[in-house]
Amino acid sequence: MNHSSTNNSTNPWSFLPFALTIFTSAFLLFQVQPLISKQILPWFGGSPAVWTTAMLFFQSLLCLGYFYAHALASLSSRKTQARIHVAVLILAALLASRVLPGVDMRPDSPDLPVLQVLQILGLSVGLPYFCLATTGPLVQHWFTNTAHAQSVFRLYALSNVGSFLALLSFPYVLEPWLEQQQMGQLWTIGFWVFALLCLPVALGAWQNKPETANAAVQLGPKTKLPLAQRLSWIALPALASLVFIAATDQISHDVAPEPRLWISTLGLYLVTFILTFDHPRWYRPRLFGALTLVLLLVTAGMSDIPRWLGFEWDYGVNDVRWSHYALLFVVCMLCHGELYRRRPTDTRWLTEFYLCMSIGGAFGGLFVTLVATQYFDDYHEWLMALVLVALLASHVLFRSSLPLAGLAGRAMRLGGVATATGMVVLLVAMQNPWSWRDIDSEDRTEILLDQERNFYGTVSVKERLFKAEPELNDRVFFSGNVTHGQQFLSDKLRHVPTTYYGRDSGIGDTLLWAMQQKPNLSVALIGLGAGTLANYAREADAYDFYEINPAAVRFAQEWFDNLKSCKAKEQNILLGDARLRMAQLPKDKQYDVIVLDAFTGGSVPIHLLTREAFQIYANHLKPDGYIAINITNAYLNLYPIVKAQSEVLGMTYRHKFQMADDVRNIRRNLHFVMTNDQAYLKAHPSISRDVLDEAGRKIGTDPQDQTGLRLWTDQFSSIAPIVK
C-alpha cells in the first residue's frame, strides 16, 4: 500500500491546496470587475481601452507574481520559503483595506490616460493582487513534493474554474444586489480569509512526512530544456492573449459593441485553459487545426468569399459576433492545447513554465496598449494575429506524429507550406485594412480623409460623393464603424442638423422651444461628434462643448465647419470627463439646456447616469431649464434609468421616438427630456415607437418603462435588468 496516499486521504488539511486554488483564482477576478467597470471605466469615458490597459496591468502583475514564486521555489529551505511568503501575506492583508480608489485618485485631465489607469490600479490593488497572483504557482510547486505530483496541472485547470465562476457571478449575483462600498468591504474580509487559508498551506500542514522511501516522490537528475521549448511557453500564450484582446476590440469597435463583451470573450479564454489543462482528451491537434483554418476563412471572408463565389450572404450582427466568438475559442484551444503538449515532464521546471506563460500572456496587453494604440491608426493587430494563427494552424494540421521520410515527409511539409501561404494571401486580401478607405461603386465614391487611433478608440472622416445626386455629397464622422456625425457639403443643406439631431427630434424641438422662450440661451453639450448641435446656436447664445477625446475635437475643427460657423457669441470646448469638468464650474454657472449625448452605441458611461451625476447637472441648471438625453441604444433600455433620476430630482419629463429618414439622413433615435416647464410638456407630448403586425398595421406602442429597478448611484448600478 502507498503510505503517502493513505496518509494524504486522512489528513484533515489535505483539501487545502484545492480549496485555496479555487478561492484564490475566483478572488483575482472578483474585485477586478467592479473596480474597473464601476470606477475606473467611467472616469475615462467608458473607453474599451480601459479594459485593455487593465489587462496589461493584471497580466504584468501576474508575471511579477510568478517570477516571485519561481525565485522563492529556488530556495532550498521549505521553512525559508514559508517565512518569506507569510511576511508578504501579512503586509498585503494590511493594505487590503483600501481596494477601492477614492475620489482623490480621479483623473483631473485627459492626458496620459494609460499611465493614469496603471497608477490607479497600482495604488489600490497592487500588492494584494500581487500576493494573490503568487499563490497559484507556489501551491502547485509545493504540491509537486507529494505523491500526486503528476496531477499538478489539474490544479491549474481548477484555478481557471475559480476565475470562470467569479467572472459569471459578478454581473448576475453580486452586481444586482451589492453596492460598490459593500463589494469593497466584502473583498477586504475575503482577503483576510485568503491569508488565513494560506498560512497552513505555506507552513506545510497539509503535507504528510513520508514514512518510507516509497512514500516520497523520487526524482532523478534535473532534465535539460531546449531553448525552443522555452520559447514556445512564451509564444503560444502570447498569441492566445493577442487574439483574445484583438478579437474583443474588433467586436467592440468595428462589429457590434455590446454590454459585458469582456465577460463573453474572457470567459471563452478561461474555458480553453480549463479544458486543455484538465486532460489531453479535450484537445485534438488536427481537429482544432482544421477548425481554426475554416473559421479563419468564415470570419475574415464573410463578405468577400460569397461575392467571389457569385452569391450573396445576408448576414447580420449576430452572425458576425458568434463567428468571432467561435474563432476565439478554437484559436485559444489550439494555442493552449499546444502549450499543454509542451509542458515540462519534470515538475521541477513547473514555476519556470508558469513564469514563461505569464510573460507570454502579458505580451498581448503590452503590444496592444503600448504599441498598437500608440502607433497604429487602425486595428492592424487583428490582421497580424490572424496571419500568425494561420501559420500555427497549418503547422499543426500537417505535422506528422510519425517520423515520415522521403516522399511522404516532403509531401507533408509542402502541404503545410502551401496551406500557410494560401491562408496568408487570402487573409491579407480579405482583411486589407486599407481596402475600405477609398471605395468607388456605381452610385457613389467614398474617400477616407483622415483617421486617428488613441486611447479612446479609432475616429475617422469619410467624404461621400454621389454621382447622380451631388447635392447629397457629405462628410461622415465615424467612431469605429459607428456614425457619430454627418454634414452635407452643399451650401443649401450644409447646416441642416442630421443623424440623431434633426429639428423634429426630441433634442431638436427642445432647443427650438427654449429659443422661442428666451432671447439668449446658455447651453452645455456633452459629446461633440461633428459638432452638429452647434447649428442651433444664435448670436446671443453661449455654447459649451464637453468632449473627452482630443482626436474628436481635432476632427470637428478641421473637417467640419459646424463649430467654425457657429453663431454663438461665446463658445468653449472643455476637454476631459464632462462630469468632472462640470463639477469644477463655479456655482453661479447656470445653463438653460444641458444635452447628454454620450449614449449612442453599446458602451455607456454609467457614471454620467447616476444620482450624483444628475445632481451635478441640476446644480448648474436654471429652474426652468431642460436636461435632454439621447438614450438611443441598440442593447440597453436606458429609459427607466433616466426616468428614475428625473423623479429623484422632482422634475417632470417626456420622451420622443423618431423613425429613420434616409432622405434627410436622419437615424432612428430616442430622446428623454426632463424639465419643470409645464407649457413645454403640454406642447410636446411623449411619442413612443409604434408596434406593427406582419401586415404593417399598428397594434400598440413599445413599452419603455420597467418597474422594480434600483436607482443608479455611484455605489450601485446594474445593467442586467435593462439588457434588451
Side-chain angles (χ1 to χ4, degrees), residues 641-658:
I641 303 303
V642 294
K643 173 178 174 285
Q645 300 297 351
S646 67
E647 292 173 344
V648 169
L649 291 176
M651 300 177 69
T652 48
Y653 53 87
R654 49 94 56 153
H655 67 271
K656 184 173 185 178
F657 173 81
Q658 185 179 33

Side-chain angles (χ1 to χ4, degrees), residues 489-564:
L489 297 181
S490 69
D491 293 336
K492 180 181 178 181
L493 300 175
R494 194 175 193 84
H495 298 295
V496 175
T498 57
T499 59
Y500 308 97
Y501 327 105
R503 296 184 182 277
D504 51 350
S505 66
I507 290 176
D509 57 31
T510 300
L511 285 168
L512 292 175
W513 172 272
M515 291 162 63
Q516 293 174 3
Q517 309 308 308
K518 296 183 179 181
N520 57 78
L521 295 176
S522 178
V523 180
L525 304 174
I526 298 176
L528 179 59
T532 304
L533 289 174
N535 291 299
Y536 285 92
R538 302 168 299 181
E539 293 182 358
D541 295 335
Y543 271 56
D544 288 344
F545 300 92
Y546 292 83
E547 176 58 54
I548 197 170
N549 189 350
V553 175
R554 182 177 73 81
F555 277 44
Q557 292 175 331
E558 292 184 7
W559 295 108
F560 302 90
D561 65 359
N562 294 313
L563 295 179
K564 294 177 183 177

Side-chain angles (χ1 to χ4, degrees), residues 383-493:
L383 176 58
M384 294 173 58
L386 296 185
V387 168
L388 292 173
V389 167
L391 297 177
L392 174 63
S394 300
H395 167 72
V396 170
L397 185 61
F398 287 90
R399 176 185 61 200
S400 175
S401 58
L402 299 174
L404 298 177
L407 185 61
R410 288 196 295 271
M412 289 291 289
R413 289 191 292 272
L414 286 175
V417 172
T419 301
T421 303
M423 286 296 300
V424 170
V425 171
L426 283 172
L427 288 172
V428 172
M430 294 182 298
Q431 289 285 302
N432 182 358
W434 295 276
S435 63
W436 72 286
R437 302 188 175 208
D438 297 318
I439 300 174
D440 191 7
S441 60
E442 292 183 2
D443 62 332
R444 69 187 184 193
T445 299
E446 297 184 8
I447 304 170
L448 181 71
L449 300 177
D450 199 353
Q451 182 164 294
E452 181 177 336
R453 179 181 177 184
N454 61 15
F455 181 84
Y456 301 100
T458 298
V459 292
S460 57
V461 177
K462 268 191 172 185
E463 190 165 274
R464 304 187 302 185
L465 305 177
F466 296 85
K467 298 175 181 178
E469 300 175 285
E471 68 276 6
L472 298 181
N473 293 347
D474 63 3
R475 285 181 182 171
V476 185
F477 176 77
F478 292 95
S479 178
N481 275 350
V482 179
T483 300
H484 276 218
Q486 179 266 352
Q487 183 180 22
F488 289 110
L489 297 181
S490 69
D491 293 336
K492 180 181 178 181
L493 300 175

Side-chain angles (χ1 to χ4, degrees), residues 234-389:
I234 297 175
L236 288 167
L239 180 56
S241 174
L242 178 61
V243 171
F244 156 54
I245 295 175
T248 306
D249 280 344
Q250 185 77 2
I251 301 171
S252 176
H253 289 286
D254 293 333
V255 181
E258 59 178 326
R260 301 181 185 174
L261 171 64
W262 279 88
I263 293 178
S264 301
T265 54
L266 183 54
L268 290 172
Y269 180 76
L270 292 174
V271 165
T272 61
F273 271 124
I274 295 170
L275 294 176
T276 54
F277 277 72
D278 173 67
H279 195 278
R281 65 175 172 267
W282 301 115
Y283 173 65
R284 294 289 184 265
R286 289 187 177 176
L287 172 62
F288 280 98
L291 284 175
T292 298
L293 293 178
V294 170
L295 284 169
L296 278 173
L297 292 175
V298 171
T299 305
M302 198 169 284
S303 299
D304 295 296
I305 292 179
R307 178 168 51 84
W308 294 344
L309 297 177
F311 67 92
E312 292 185 3
W313 179 16
D314 188 20
Y315 61 85
V317 169
N318 284 331
D319 299 309
V320 178
R321 181 191 301 121
W322 286 106
S323 69
H324 280 75
Y325 287 160
L327 178 62
L328 173 62
F329 175 76
V330 298
V331 167
C332 289
M333 282 294 294
L334 185 72
C335 293
H336 296 151
E338 289 297 309
L339 178 65
Y340 183 76
R341 281 169 54 92
R342 292 165 171 78
R343 69 193 183 280
T345 55
D346 187 339
T347 56
R348 286 172 290 183
W349 292 107
L350 185 71
T351 55
E352 183 172 344
F353 173 65
Y354 286 129
L355 175 60
C356 292
M357 277 180 57
S358 65
I359 292 173
F363 174 80
L366 185 71
F367 181 79
V368 173
T369 304
L370 301 184
V371 178
T373 302
Q374 301 297 321
Y375 300 106
F376 294 173
D377 68 350
D378 208 339
Y379 296 94
H380 301 306
E381 66 270 21
W382 176 242
L383 176 58
M384 294 173 58
L386 296 185
V387 168
L388 292 173
V389 167

